[in-house]
């Protein structure tokens, strides 16, 4: 197998600092060796100028929300009024239009350095809940979209059975629902991963899956060693309704039904009691924060630091895709905690970068990825130092600079599984990503 | 005088929506006519594709803080420990090195669409407080820097007399101090504005200017009809020390000494009592919020909405220049208020754009600017619709899209006073802005 040599001026190898002069040897899809302190590029090496980090993991996405960007900022209201607008787009999706939109949205992610997306997917069926002739037509459209955009995907096929505690699905929600968790499991079991794709499970929330059905989903994931995700306590109203329905917090209810553990990820985890933090941390359940969405939807600021201290690894998600910039998500965790605490320095920049890379990949069931080391897939992202944003970054604080000053617009090169997907800031598989986004969104709105 | 015709596909003329097919007639530095609803560009017109808004006003900047970007994210601590690092750079500035840094920092601002900067300038004297042979050497370096970067400036010459309540200046602070407010006024009176520059005043804070000296600065500004700015209640500790020293809140103290009013701007205004909000609003004192800095420095979330309801116009500042992106500042006001309130929709996008343009310019003493209308200076900023961030922006929500989705990286064209300063995203006066930033910062760190 031919060897490609890549030379990175600066590369983050997982420590607190940045390594200089790093030679990365790639065979096929894999990194086979890494050497640092090499003074100049070896002959024939691909030279990555700037800062190279592992491929980013976007651990929580709803691809179709990309069509809402800008559109939902006109009205006053809450998470719940925003949800009505989101349902409007969900109602119009077809396998074809969703494929086009997700392909473009994933290409936007690739341009932002995302090598792997966790798609929390619940728009399963046709209008009114009628199954498509191919029952996974929608999920398969998303798997194909990621392949065409050149990124990895974990399709988190989501169980969504109720419109709220004790309430049936209604209107657009009918598309989300399987008959019960057993029917969900049958359908989800038919999904096939592949080189670029793995299949995981999700419990949409304790609102949407009754307690007696949660165990079926947890069990399905556990049997397969697959990741299991769930929205958790994003809104105070959800906590109150859960307490009133079950006498338990959402975290307690999920724990009781086997949904916590080191292959599980709680998304948002905004409004928690100390006992919830202890349950999540003690079970090593990962926590996925989505700061730009949590700002947008007025969710509040979750206790990311306390959760990490209790034992929960952090991952990051673009969620609603109103913003697609994992650097902004990473610094958002620290910056919003500063607003809440009036103190700086809750997270080391390296810890935030770990959340955006290795810990995010682990949350998506790719524990071998998100690392620049022998044996890892060759997923690399280079951020330029030649933009106005990154210019003047101090050599002694390059990890801090990339986390606190870089934006998606500063990403120049992206390799996914050894394939050079983004070159000089241009996507190599989809010629005009903005045009693809515009066309796909126009079709749906 | 020759006429230039500019045709904007979409332009924001100050209302809640976006106008289409806008012809802007420019003679010299001025807009002389505006027509909308023109179906195609007139022959010979400069065609601005995308969304054109008035030049942005960055109402609060400390240019030299640009050298701290990334560097201050390594340590735990507070505003007060951050300040020690900031003093380290302040101690090394000379008129030459500060000129080079400010020129590059202002060029970064121009690329981000800033047509006018309010420089809150307090590094007046040489080491130990020795006056330069030309007493305004530092301020003049900043005026020249803005001219070379192609933007307007209001130099807010800042009175800074004490190291804290009842404490003398010490160490690096000695460079900030004049003997007393009368000496400050003598020096400030020698500053000359010009076509691109106006001179204003600032009271650094109630920490740094004793109560009996505030009136001299207020009076100086009032006599000249010049803007007067001051940092206000950014930290709880400042409020407590002020109450203990004077038995009054900072806002009350400033009101007593004639510092409030419609030509005045309170910067930050984070920790206010309801009485303070009433004082600021009732006097029509403007309020300048700097959300990215207020996140960074763990200041907290100021009551921007309550202040506006009470009568205070909003303006926006990049302050520490850790981020130079007025769109991020604009949406930051709304998004952080969402985090604090758990509710969406405190500000219309058009109101935030007004803060970034006309209200920001008014706060800097350019009430005629920041508007696309006959009689205004020809300051225009075009944001592309062809980036991944802006692609798919709905025609019915372009104001919302530019405020909530655009970044500094999406700015393509900037005119300041009729001069085309940025073309196709490239600065026309300074060839390599990132290189200029890097060189200037290396010199200082």
């Amino acid at each position: 197998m031919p060897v490609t040599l890549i030379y990175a001026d600066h590369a983050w190898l997982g420590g607190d600092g940045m390594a200089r002069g790093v030679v990365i040897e790639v065979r096929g899809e894999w990194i086979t060796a890494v050497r640092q302190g090499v003074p100049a590029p070896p002959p024939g090496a691909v030279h990555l100028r700037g800062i190279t980090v592992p491929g980013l993991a976007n651990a929580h996405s709803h691809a179709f929300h990309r069509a809402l960007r800008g559109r939902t900022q006109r009205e006053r209201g809450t998470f719940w009024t925003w949800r009505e607008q989101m349902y409007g787009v969900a109602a119009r999706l077809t396998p074809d239009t969703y494929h086009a939109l997700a392909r473009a949205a994933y290409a936007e992610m690739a341009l932002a350095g995302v090598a792997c997306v966790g798609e929390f997917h619940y728009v399963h069926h046709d209008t009114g809940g009628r199954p498509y002739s191919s029952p996974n037509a929608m999920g398969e459209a998303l798997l194909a979209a990621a392949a065409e955009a050149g990124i990895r995907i974990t399709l988190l096929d989501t169980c969504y059975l109720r419109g709220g505690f004790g309430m049936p699905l209604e209107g657009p929600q009918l598309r989300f629902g399987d008959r019960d968790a057993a029917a969900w499991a049958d359908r989800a079991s038919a999904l096939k991963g592949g080189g670029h794709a793995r299949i995981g499970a999700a419990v949409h929330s304790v609102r949407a899956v009754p307690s007696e059905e949660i165990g079926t989903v947890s069990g399905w994931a556990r049997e397969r060693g697959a990741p299991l995700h769930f929205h958790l306590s994003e809104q105070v109203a959800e906590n109150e309704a859960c307490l009133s329905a079950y006498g338990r917090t959402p975290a307690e209810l999920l724990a009781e039904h086997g949904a916590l553990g080191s292959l599980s990820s709680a998304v948002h985890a905004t409004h928690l009691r100390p006992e919830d933090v202890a349950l999540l941390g003690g079970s090593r359940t990962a926590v996925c924060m989505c700061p730009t969405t949590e700002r947008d939807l007025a969710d509040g600021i979750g206790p990311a630091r306390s959760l990490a201290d209790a034992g929960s690894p952090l991952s990051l998600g673009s969620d609603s895709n109103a913003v697609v910039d994992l650097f902004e998500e990473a610094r958002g965790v620290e910056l919003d905690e500063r607003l809440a605490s009036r103190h700086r320095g809750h997270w080391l920049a390296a810890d935030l970068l770990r959340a955006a890379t290795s810990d995010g990949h682990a949350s998506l069931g790719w524990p071998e990825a998100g690392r620049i080391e022998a044996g890892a897939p060759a997923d690399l992202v280079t951020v330029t130092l030649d933009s106005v944003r990154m210019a003047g970054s101090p050599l002694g604080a390059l990890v801090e600079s990339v986390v606190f000053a870089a934006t998606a617009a500063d990403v120049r090169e992206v390799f996914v599984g050894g394939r050079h997907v983004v070159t000089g800031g241009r996507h190599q598989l989809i010629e005009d990503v903005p045009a693809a986004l515009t066309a796909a969104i126009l079709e749906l709105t």
Side-chain angles (χ1 to χ4, degrees), chain A residues 24 63 117 195 210 232 269 319 356 388:
Chain A
I24 303 162
V117 63
L232 183 77
D319 189 0
V388 283

Side-chain angles (χ1 to χ4, degrees), chain A residues 412-423:
Chain A
R412 289 291 178 276
E413 311 293 328
V414 180
F415 292 79
V416 181
R419 183 199 220 178
H420 205 156
V421 175
V422 174
T423 308

